[in-house]
Amino acid sequence: MSADSPGSTGNKVNLGELATTVLKGVGPSLAEKLQRLDLYCIQDLLLHLPYRYQDRTRVVPIGSLVPGIEALIVGTVEITDVVYRRKRSMLCRISDGSGFITLRFFYFSGKQQQRLSRGTRISCFGEVRQGPNSLEIIHPEYEFIADDQASVSSDSLTPFYPATEGVQQLTLRKLITQAIKKYLPALLEILPEKICTELNLASLQDALLAVHQPEKNVNTEQLMLGIHPLQRRLSFEELLAHQLSLKALLKKKKLKNAPAITGTGDLVKQFINKLGFTLTGAQSKVIHEIENDLRRPHPMQRLVQGDVGCGKTIIAAAAALSLVESGYQAVIMAPTELLCEQHYKNFSDWMIPLGINCVALQGRLNTADKKSALQDIASGKANIIIGTHALFQSGVVYKNPGLVIVDEQHRFGVHQRLALLEKGEENNFLPHQLIMTATPIPRTLAQTLYADLDVSVIDELPPGRKPVKTAVISATRRGEIVKNIEQACKAGRQAYWVCPLIEESEALQLQTATDTEAALKEALPDLRIAMVHGRLAGDKKESIMRSFNNHDTDLLVATTVVEVGVDVPNASMMIIEHSERLGLSQLHQLRGRVGRGSDEATCVLLYQAPLSEIAKDRLNTMRETNDGFEIARKDLEIRGPGEMFGTRQTGLPRFRIADLMRDQVLLPQVQQAARSIEEEFPATIQPLLKRWLRRAGDYNTV
Ligand code: ADP
Ligand code: MG
């Protein structure tokens, strides 16, 4: 039997152990890049599912293109030129008789330019946008058309996979097709037959095949929405695996002890007295609830929900101090480097006068700083440790962590939070846990995700806050906005100009931000303008933020790195580009960066016409309300295909296919199946978890 035949792999091969290098075209270097996508083995590839589909089943006449749509076009090259306008780029104009369009490349080779010579026929796919002189596609996928080629369109929808730098869409498509052909038949069914029959579930293999390679006559609408029964079959199994793993973790945790605090609460009192403002009633109430939990010898597991700007950081600091007073360490995990730096600064300002040591642990520390931080953490010299994901990497050893605080939980998966907790675990001893989030989560979901958590709500903002005035304005009126910024900044206020994710590519997002910064500097020569983005080194980022914080910068151009937690009260104006592309909770988070001081704040949501109905609805909601709970409710109501990335924005754990909002209807079945498996088929639990939850390997699943 040839190696290509599925039979030769038999049922003996464990696809969960089979390295991706068995595929043609995958060497050690590509295999390593695949790992960045958490793709370690063939099974991972088979479960790497499209997050959307593109319709390349028909060629669209260039003359009928409109901005905002994705289209397959065919045309002849008229001219290809390299231009230097702020940044070197290659422009290639193609036409098909009905009209012309420009293809724009920021990265290209001389050879590429040569091959795109006049008269060459190509097919392209990409998103059409309005460029300076004509419609454009930036970095389209393109292919040369042979003279005798019959068709360029595809028979079925084209799957679109989560990709990363160095692993292109096309590569993934080819690898996954190869994996399906060779290995899908060897993928074992793990779910007990009884459950499959009861719930009338299709086989795993059929479901995967249908999702990767949708048939021609598939219900496209369902598929695009992610609610096709065969997709649901997969979501079900994934949710079930998560549910089982949570239950196992909870079972383990229930048996643990935790350090009961014994201090007088003096440190907390000193801290609060030095704050320069009075706590809100809601803050005092929650601090009190937390203190009660901490006095018990069992792990606190409390979720603090409170809208952006309600003052959750103070709560974290008070809780941390309670543990420090009793001789334990407190660990605070922030979702971004920027937020981590800001917390570190705030905590240092608060703690140093009290004689308490704070240490920051980030991915980007240099070797010497990291070594000294690790030493202080291990020796106990560090009382409060603030960090990013770096906190739960191997090599970090805590002396005696008594409390783990996870800020902006919506950015982390359930398992990441539990992994950090396990770091502090020792002989039946578990730290207390405090989780803070600005994203209210509907009850049904909360039960599934946080069955283990008590909930405190901060339903009050610090006094004197005025709601942020929100305007929705077409990007064509940018000139007026620039004038308003000038006025505001000259009157001593500060502003953010946010350029969010436009394409999947971080490079392009950066490009937009860079262009915007240059344009603003040109238009506003008197203002001090700086830019911050995710790719800057940590110290650079920190110094830019510090300069904004100290009011040495008037206008900060930023990518969405400022979304979470950034706190500069004097900033009272925010412009958000391409607001039509963002989800409600992300817009709400971003807007929460202003309106923190006493000045009346404004938020301008710039949009690029034409607006979809969903986008219109979202922007109207933003204009009408500042209430985070109301916005979350609305978010659920209008959530549609445009938000298939929902999990990232709403902060529920990241699944491969399931989406807790979308797939809520499955939850009762999932819970019931989980019980049945625990009772009747416990042997299937491990394989299920291994299949669905084995990620990066840096945290335990059970
Ligand atoms: P979030 O809940 O979004 O994390 P922060 O903790 O960042 O909010 O607090 C937002 C701002 O409000 C900070 O500048 C903080 O110092 C300030 N603040 C917090 N509590 C109060 C209060 N009781 N009175 C006045 N200002 C407060
Ligand atoms: Mg915060």
Side-chain angles (χ1 to χ4, degrees):
M1 242 186 265
S2 89
D4 275 329
S5 130
S8 69
T9 61
N11 280 352
K12 283 165 257 135
V13 179
N14 180 353
L15 300 184
E17 304 284 330
L18 199 59
T20 52
T21 44
V22 299
L23 294 178
K24 224 166 41 197
V26 184
S29 138
L30 181 55
E32 201 186 304
K33 286 181 189 144
L34 287 170
Q35 292 183 6
R36 289 189 212 148
L37 289 166
D38 286 327
L39 302 175
Y40 292 85
C41 58
I42 294 295
Q43 178 171 275
D44 290 339
L45 267 179
L46 293 174
L47 297 179
H48 193 61
L49 300 174
Y51 63 89
R52 66 182 171 112
Y53 298 87
Q54 289 175 337
D55 189 353
R56 303 183 186 198
T57 57
R58 66 190 188 99
V59 175
V60 181
I62 294 178
S64 67
L65 294 174
V66 287
I69 63 163
E70 284 184 329
L72 176 67
I73 55 175
V74 168
T76 308
V77 176
E78 290 187 344
I79 184 167
T80 300
D81 252 341
V82 174
V83 298
Y84 297 84
R85 211 179 135 263
R86 274 190 231 123
K87 187 173 163 50
R88 185 169 166 266
S89 45
M90 177 171 81
L91 302 183
C92 168
R93 193 161 87 168
I94 65 167
S95 70
D96 68 351
S98 73
F100 71 89
I101 187 166
T102 306
L103 312 178
R104 186 183 287 272
F105 298 84
F106 298 114
Y107 310 100
F108 55 93
S109 64
K111 190 165 157 231
Q112 228 176 337
Q113 188 188 352
Q114 263 170 25
R115 292 198 66 195
L116 286 169
S117 61
R118 186 177 167 82
T120 308
R121 268 171 60 73
I122 56 173
S123 67
C124 311
F125 187 88
E127 185 178 334
V128 178
R129 57 166 73 209
Q130 187 61 55
N133 303 311
S134 69
L135 290 182
E136 298 189 344
I137 302 181
I138 295 183
H139 280 268
E141 282 182 41
Y142 69 93
E143 275 174 58
F144 297 96
I145 302 178
D147 287 340
D148 55 351
Q149 193 169 326
S151 164
V152 297
S153 54
S154 4
D155 290 338
S156 58
L157 296 178
T158 309
F160 213 91
Y161 295 102
T164 185
E165 271 180 63
V167 190
Q168 308 280 330
Q169 220 20 253
L170 270 174
T171 314
L172 273 171
R173 245 173 246 151
K174 283 185 189 145
L175 291 181
I176 291 172
T177 308
Q178 204 191 134
I180 290 174
K181 196 160 154 240
K182 285 191 191 163
Y183 298 105
L184 185 61
L187 190 66
L188 292 179
E189 192 74 61
I190 297 176
L191 291 187
E193 209 179 304
K194 181 176 162 216
I195 289 180
C196 293
T197 318
E198 257 171 32
L199 297 174
N200 198 13
L201 301 179
S203 82
L204 180 66
Q205 291 185 11
D206 287 351
L208 282 174
L209 194 63
V211 172
H212 282 294
Q213 303 173 348
E215 278 180 15
K216 217 173 184 170
N217 55 2
V218 70
N219 182 330
T220 315
E221 203 174 325
Q222 280 186 344
L223 196 70
M224 293 279 201
L225 288 168
I227 56 169
H228 191 281
L230 290 171
Q231 282 167 314
R232 287 241 143 118
R233 156 71 177 83
L234 299 172
S235 301
F236 173 82
E237 185 169 326
E238 183 174 31
L239 288 170
L240 180 61
H242 275 262
Q243 185 73 16
L244 286 166
S245 115
L246 260 187
K247 289 184 101 172
L249 282 162
L250 294 185
K251 229 185 244 166
K252 250 170 62 177
K253 275 199 302 182
K254 282 219 175 95
L255 308 169
K256 309 285 177 179
N257 300 315
I261 56 167
T262 49
T264 56
D266 236 25
L267 262 181
V268 177
K269 280 188 206 111
Q270 281 181 47
F271 160 68
I272 291 171
N273 287 339
K274 284 191 178 149
L275 273 178
F277 49 72
T278 323
L279 295 184
T280 63
Q283 281 171 320
S284 304
K285 178 194 77 184
V286 173
I287 289 177
H288 192 70
E289 281 170 354
I290 292 172
E291 204 193 295
N292 275 346
D293 287 351
L294 296 176
R295 292 198 178 279
R296 299 200 192 104
H298 297 292
M300 166 178 82
Q301 294 173 48
R302 187 168 284 280
L303 174 72
V304 174
Q305 274 190 0
D307 208 351
V308 283
C310 72
K312 293 185 290 292
T313 319
I314 307 286
I315 308 240
L321 280 172
S322 296
L323 268 294
V324 172
E325 188 179 42
S326 295
Y328 294 94
Q329 291 174 309
V331 184
I332 300 167
M333 178 159 75
T336 64
E337 302 258 332
L338 202 55
L339 188 52
C340 173
E341 277 144 22
Q342 182 180 295
H343 277 338
Y344 178 62
K345 182 181 164 294
N346 280 335
F347 274 74
S348 300
D349 288 351
W350 292 325
M351 300 304 159
I352 290 168
L354 301 173
I356 287 159
N357 283 321
C358 297
V359 159
L361 191 65
Q362 292 155 259
R364 292 217 174 87
L365 289 184
N366 68 37
T367 324
D369 286 349
K370 184 159 182 198
K371 198 170 155 210
S372 109
L374 288 177
Q375 265 168 8
D376 290 353
I377 294 169
S379 72
K381 185 174 163 208
N383 306 115
I384 297 181
I385 300 119
I386 299 167
T388 54
H389 300 74
L391 289 172
F392 56 81
Q393 276 157 11
S394 57
V396 189
V397 181
Y398 298 91
K399 169 97 188 302
N400 56 356
L403 170 66
V404 166
I405 301 174
V406 183
D407 192 16
E408 300 296 352
Q409 142 78 13
H410 66 285
R411 283 305 193 89
F412 295 102
V414 175
H415 287 88
Q416 282 173 310
R417 125 173 112 77
L418 296 171
L420 179 56
L421 208 55
E422 293 193 346
K423 268 268 173 195
E425 180 172 0
E426 210 181 330
N427 307 329
N428 262 353
F429 190 85
L430 207 61
H432 295 288
Q433 185 182 196
L434 182 64
I435 290 154
M436 306 198 296
T437 180
T439 311
I441 296 163
R443 251 197 88 210
T444 36
L445 299 187
Q447 279 173 350
T448 314
L449 286 170
Y450 301 130
D452 54 332
L453 298 182
D454 297 315
V455 180
S456 295
V457 179
I458 308 187
D459 48 7
E460 187 182 359
L461 291 177
R465 295 274 170 85
K466 301 189 190 84
V468 180
K469 266 200 349 226
T470 302
V472 180
I473 292 179
S474 159
T476 52
R477 290 171 55 196
R478 164 186 313 262
E480 295 164 42
I481 312 298
V482 171
K483 286 215 184 70
N484 290 346
I485 291 192
E486 186 169 23
Q487 271 175 6
C489 288
K490 287 201 166 147
R493 298 156 86 183
Q494 288 167 280
Y496 297 97
W497 192 296
V498 183
C499 303
L501 192 73
I502 304 297
E503 306 282 333
E504 265 101 328
S505 140
E506 202 191 341
L508 275 173
Q509 180 182 17
L510 191 52
Q511 182 61 39
T512 319
T514 313
D515 288 351
T516 306
E517 187 201 14
L520 287 170
K521 275 187 167 157
E522 210 172 295
L524 300 167
D526 296 342
L527 296 192
R528 297 162 299 176
I529 301 177
M531 176 170 78
V532 65
H533 57 82
R535 284 203 179 169
L536 288 175
D539 49 350
K540 186 85 184 102
K541 235 185 315 191
E542 196 187 355
S543 85
I544 293 172
M545 284 316 290
R546 193 180 306 124
S547 152
F548 190 61
N549 217 341
N550 296 341
H551 202 169
D552 294 329
T553 298
D554 301 305
L555 174 58
L556 186 68
V557 180
T559 55
T560 40
V561 292
V562 299
E563 172 191 341
V564 176
V566 170
D567 184 39
V568 181
N570 191 48
S572 61
M573 203 169 171
M574 170 170 284
I575 320 298
I576 305 178
E577 294 253 19
H578 281 291
S579 56
E580 78 278 5
R581 308 211 182 192
L582 296 177
L584 268 177
S585 46
Q586 205 178 8
L587 285 170
H588 181 61
Q589 275 283 342
L590 278 168
R591 182 172 62 182
R593 299 311 110 218
V594 293
R596 301 182 152 237
S598 47
D599 281 337
E600 175 145 294
T602 23
C603 175
V604 177
L605 304 174
L606 286 182
Y607 67 87
Q608 202 91 50
L611 281 182
S612 69
E613 283 307 309
I614 291 174
K616 240 182 246 169
D617 211 357
R618 273 200 302 252
L619 296 181
N620 278 336
T621 304
M622 288 300 291
R623 184 163 49 196
E624 280 157 18
T625 181
N626 271 277
D627 177 342
F629 281 82
E630 172 63 18
I631 287 175
R633 197 187 58 72
K634 195 74 190 167
D635 197 11
L636 259 184
E637 192 183 299
I638 61 183
R639 182 169 289 275
E643 280 184 277
M644 285 191 53
F645 293 104
T647 49
R648 195 169 67 83
Q649 287 169 11
T650 53
L652 304 169
R654 283 231 228 173
F655 295 103
R656 299 178 196 235
I657 183 163
D659 176 322
L660 273 173
M661 296 283 182
R662 184 190 65 205
D663 299 326
Q664 275 183 79
V665 287
L666 299 177
L667 294 177
Q669 283 176 10
V670 167
Q671 280 162 2
Q672 200 190 334
R675 274 192 297 272
S676 144
I677 286 188
E678 278 184 321
E679 282 160 21
E680 298 172 62
F681 311 100
T684 60
I685 295 179
Q686 276 306 327
L688 257 182
L689 300 197
K690 269 217 170 107
R691 168 170 288 170
W692 288 98
L693 300 180
R694 204 187 68 166
R695 288 283 172 111
D698 54 0
Y699 49 90
N700 274 336
T701 47
V702 161

